[in-house]
Amino acid sequence: MTAFWNEKMETLPREELADLQLERLQVTLNRGYAKVDFYRQRFEELGFLPEDINSMEDLARLPCTTVNDLVEHYPYGLFSVPLKSIVRLKFSAAPRIRPLVIGYTQRDVQNWLEVMARHMIAMGIGVRDIIQIAFNYGLFTGAFTFNQAAELIGATVAPTSIASATIQIQIMQDFRSTVLATSPTFAMHIAETRERLGIDLDQTFLKIGLFGPEAMSPDVRRRLEERLRIQAYTVYGVNEMVEPGMAAECQEKSGLHLAEDHFYPEIVDPDSCQPLAQGQQGELVVTTLTNEGYPLIRFRTGDITRLDFSPCPCGRTGVRMAPPLSRSDDLFMVRGISIHPEQVERLLGEAAPEVESYRIIVRKRDGLNDQLELQVAYPENYVSEWYHTHALADDIRAHLRRALGLGVKVKLMEASNLAEDAGRIVFED
Amino acid sequence: MTAFWNEKMETLPREELADLQLERLQVTLNRGYAKVDFYRQRFEELGFLPEDINSMEDLARLPCTTVNDLVEHYPYGLFSVPLKSIVRLKFSAAPRIRPLVIGYTQRDVQNWLEVMARHMIAMGIGVRDIIQIAFNYGLFTGAFTFNQAAELIGATVAPTSIASATIQIQIMQDFRSTVLATSPTFAMHIAETRERLGIDLDQTFLKIGLFGPEAMSPDVRRRLEERLRIQAYTVYGVNEMVEPGMAAECQEKSGLHLAEDHFYPEIVDPDSCQPLAQGQQGELVVTTLTNEGYPLIRFRTGDITRLDFSPCPCGRTGVRMAPPLSRSDDLFMVRGISIHPEQVERLLGEAAPEVESYRIIVRKRDGLNDQLELQVAYPENYVSEWYHTHALADDIRAHLRRALGLGVKVKLMEASNLAEDAGRIVFED
């Protein structure tokens, strides 16, 4: 009994899909050429026109677009419509040197909700479900999308946002929530809190976990499913396009169906940006096919994955991507927040310019990146009295918390103990 | 050049409005009687049926509904539709002994957005505007409503949520935001931060301030308008119905137009709950006329105001209410957060049961309730060493912050200094 939100598009035969993609690619290339200086220059440098791209394979003749390209055109340089046509601005979840902003038209937002609605239905969510959304609503608009898509399919939303695990559990019980949307890390914390409070699983009504933006390892999935008595699904998104919503697991849980009528995926060699043979593992590069406000051509997601074009028993024809468990750059995620080592270095420099040496420790718990520790060397000639040490650590901690939205453990140590791995990032189990 | 979102309803002649209200009141009363035990019992106790209410004046034969009635039926006791028809759950912003939850159907949400869209247009907001929403998105859904209504009218949304004033100003400049939606308190903080950072008003592009949920005094309005170079408007809502959106100022700034096709207002004597003569000041009591999910009959808002039925130069026929500057109960607001003294007492009891005497100080700055201070007496036999004092104050502070979402100043003092005003709330300018 497979349900669909948009059966026609979700089960489109792949030949028809290919025709649709090419047609929409043409529109996207023309839009980029006509409206965005950045893309027009690229075409001009290569000496060709959008109509010279005659097939999806030809697309590889164009260079990839990187996050840095986006950052350089902050705030509105890559928008392809006037600002008055934009209804939503979204900030990148991983601002580095400068923030990055993406714009959506009314139709873009509708498309976004439409793909999220598909994913929810594919996971078995329906009008009778009560979806508790324990994501932080705000500059990073993921939580909104869960919210609005849930309303679209007629489910009930409980926007619990950043309430504590204890409050989440109280609401979960009182409201009889059936779906929990949050990060795997916070879901694990909720599971532990429930156990600690001695609340029986029979007093909760969860059936489904809708998890992102971190990927779940098979082991983490198994433990979340047992400890919360749910079916756990991963949803994937790309900050710079739609997050969440580009792809998600169906009830088969064997790869994430990508909404290929809106997003064209390639798997490329991270060095050359050239497409790899079908089935190979590489970096996911995506071209938007319907975005009006912020079209992206061959955008490097940084995520390492592989694509599976074999038919899925659920009937959906969209290609399935493996949950991306690694990145082509140094970006890492702690408690659902994307962090770049450079960003930590910059923040440390701002908070405590006198610190010369540091090391980033990402500590795992239950298979999840759970804690960020910053080990910093005592500045030279430092009066290492209790008071001073605390003041320095507090300054660093406060600055990082404000900037990253994440509590960071700060440890001052002798420079000699930091010699190894200084300036590096270490993952500890 | 007056623009309208729904010209027909916004300018409906008052006789037609009265007919529409009576018709919708009948539907509401029938819905309450048929679907909600609480209302049916009330009718039965009085020995009459919904059809015995033949005019808006007859409505006063029914008793008022209070927040306590709502709390007693937590979570779903007052819902008049099955949960599967509810798409949004909203928590009360002032949970007391137990939380309170309100439900909206798809149509309720549409109606809500429709009235907010009317208010935005009435303030002169349009498709070219960029609305920076600096409200906390989450359990209290006001921010969502600004967000979705702004998308509905085709404006652009920048959901900056709880970002710091410095980040708000950066975004405001970079994005060229034209509308700032936030509380008057935070707007004042942004104004001060801008001055402190030495950023010229010419580097910002704000035109309009959309402020709630605190009311603005004329003096606060004047200063906000000068310091941010904006037109400042107040929007009013009722937690238990729609917040924000029930009423808002038009460009005349002489009272808040109430969306009377959705909400029927009465001004009553807070003691008897009986209607007062037209133009008198009293407590606002509201009956929902279109709510499907959570109809409220004669709900006591607690806000003291008066209604002005005279025609408004803007052409809107909806009655204008004065900004409610006081309450019929002890509820007060600090930095946009509603707080009840009982709630503070309960939280203090939880955090530090050994404390026997306390006093609540609400400190004003710039005419706004800016800081909550809790003065508590040292417990008897207390070892008032530095360490212990700090630990006790920290415990209280942490518990109140978690529960209220607000930083609270905690001051321990000799019981003798607290004798006066103990257990009371003191407003300091």
Side-chain angles (χ1 to χ4, degrees), chain A residues 196-232:
Chain A
R196 191 168 45 73
L197 295 174
I199 293 164
D200 197 272
L201 269 178
D202 287 330
Q203 292 172 266
T204 60
F205 306 87
L206 287 187
K207 295 184 314 183
I208 292 171
L210 208 177
F211 299 132
E214 316 151 18
M216 276 182 297
S217 68
D219 182 52
V220 167
R221 185 202 301 266
R222 186 184 51 72
R223 279 182 294 136
L224 284 172
E225 294 194 331
E226 276 173 20
R227 298 175 74 173
L228 291 168
R229 202 190 280 163
I230 53 171
Q231 297 295 318

Side-chain angles (χ1 to χ4, degrees), chain A residues 74 76 86 88-89 156 174, chain B residues 74 86 151 156-157 174-175:
Chain A
Y74 174 86
Y76 299 137
I86 295 290
R88 186 185 291 184
L89 294 173
T156 306
D174 289 355
Chain B
Y74 174 84
I86 296 290
E151 289 187 4
T156 306
V157 175
D174 288 354
F175 286 33

Side-chain angles (χ1 to χ4, degrees), chain B residues 143-371:
Chain B
F144 294 110
T145 313
F146 284 117
N147 203 310
Q148 291 182 277
E151 289 187 4
L152 183 64
I153 68 169
T156 306
V157 175
T160 48
S161 193
I162 51 170
S164 70
T166 311
I167 292 176
Q168 299 283 354
I169 292 166
Q170 191 202 334
I171 289 172
M172 195 175 284
Q173 291 183 275
D174 288 354
F175 286 33
R176 301 178 166 247
S177 304
T178 57
V179 180
L180 174 65
T182 191
S183 67
T185 313
F186 192 59
M188 197 70 88
H189 178 52
I190 287 177
E192 282 163 10
T193 306
R194 180 192 63 72
E195 287 158 20
R196 190 168 44 75
L197 295 175
I199 293 164
D200 198 89
L201 271 178
D202 287 330
Q203 292 172 267
T204 60
F205 306 86
L206 288 185
K207 294 183 316 184
I208 292 171
L210 209 176
F211 298 132
E214 317 151 17
M216 275 183 297
S217 67
D219 181 52
V220 168
R221 185 202 302 267
R222 186 185 51 72
R223 279 182 293 137
L224 284 172
E225 294 194 331
E226 276 174 21
R227 297 175 74 174
L228 290 169
R229 201 189 280 164
I230 53 171
Q231 296 295 316
Y233 301 104
T234 293
V235 60
Y236 171 78
V238 173
N239 242 324
E240 296 78 7
M241 299 178 181
V242 301
E243 184 182 37
M246 185 181 290
E249 289 176 316
C250 66
Q251 290 176 63
E252 301 294 328
K253 294 187 204 163
S254 61
L256 291 76
H257 285 285
L258 203 143
E260 283 181 277
D261 49 333
H262 295 289
F263 304 99
Y264 178 73
E266 297 171 85
I267 296 295
V268 306
D269 177 329
D271 295 324
S272 67
C273 219
Q274 283 307 301
L276 296 171
Q278 213 181 78
Q280 279 202 279
Q281 177 168 296
E283 182 174 348
L284 179 68
V285 161
V286 179
T287 299
T288 62
L289 297 176
T290 52
N291 277 19
E292 288 182 333
Y294 199 78
L296 285 173
I297 298 170
R298 300 200 81 213
F299 178 73
R300 291 186 63 157
T301 65
D303 287 313
I304 303 296
T305 183
R306 63 174 78 237
L307 299 181
D308 178 358
F309 288 90
S310 69
C312 179
C314 79
R316 285 173 186 77
T317 51
V319 66
R320 283 173 290 163
M321 59 182 276
L325 288 164
S326 66
R327 305 252 329 152
S328 66
D329 57 19
D330 294 329
L331 199 73
F332 60 96
M333 196 171 268
V334 178
R335 294 184 155 268
I337 293 171
S338 298
I339 299 165
H340 198 279
E342 273 175 26
Q343 190 185 5
V344 176
E345 180 168 324
R346 178 175 56 82
L347 292 168
L348 176 60
E350 288 167 6
E354 65 272 37
V355 168
E356 288 185 356
S357 180
Y358 72 95
R359 178 162 59 196
I360 297 169
I361 312 286
V362 178
R363 199 158 283 129
K364 278 201 156 89
R365 208 175 46 115
D366 285 326
L368 296 157
N369 290 340
D370 179 69
Q371 193 193 45

Side-chain angles (χ1 to χ4, degrees), chain A residues 74-76 83-84 86-89 91 98-99 101 106 109 127-128 130 137-139 141 144 147-148 151-152 154-161 163 170-171 174-175, chain B residues 74-76 83-84 86-89 91 98-99 101 106 109 127-128 130 137-139 141 144 147-148 151-152 154-161 163 170-171 174-175:
Chain A
Y74 174 86
Y76 299 137
L83 212 50
K84 74 176 167 60
I86 295 290
V87 298
R88 186 185 291 184
L89 294 173
F91 297 67
R98 294 203 69 181
V101 64
Q106 195 86 258
V109 170
V127 292
R128 291 180 184 276
I130 298 172
Y137 291 79
L139 282 174
T141 54
F144 295 110
N147 204 311
Q148 290 182 277
E151 291 187 2
L152 183 64
T156 306
V157 175
T160 49
S161 192
Q170 190 202 334
I171 289 171
D174 289 355
F175 286 32
Chain B
Y74 174 84
Y76 299 137
L83 212 52
K84 74 175 167 59
I86 296 290
V87 298
R88 186 186 292 185
L89 294 172
F91 298 67
R98 295 203 69 181
V101 64
Q106 195 86 258
V109 170
V127 292
R128 289 180 186 277
I130 298 172
Y137 291 78
L139 281 174
T141 53
F144 294 110
N147 203 310
Q148 291 182 277
E151 289 187 4
L152 183 64
T156 306
V157 175
T160 48
S161 193
Q170 191 202 334
I171 289 172
D174 288 354
F175 286 33

Side-chain angles (χ1 to χ4, degrees), chain B residues 14 27 36 62 67 72 75-76 120 165 168 242 270 367 375 397:
Chain B
R14 293 204 59 88
V27 174
V36 185
L62 294 173
V67 170
E72 278 168 22
Y76 299 137
M120 287 184 174
Q168 299 283 354
V242 301
Q375 300 182 339
R397 192 163 30 235

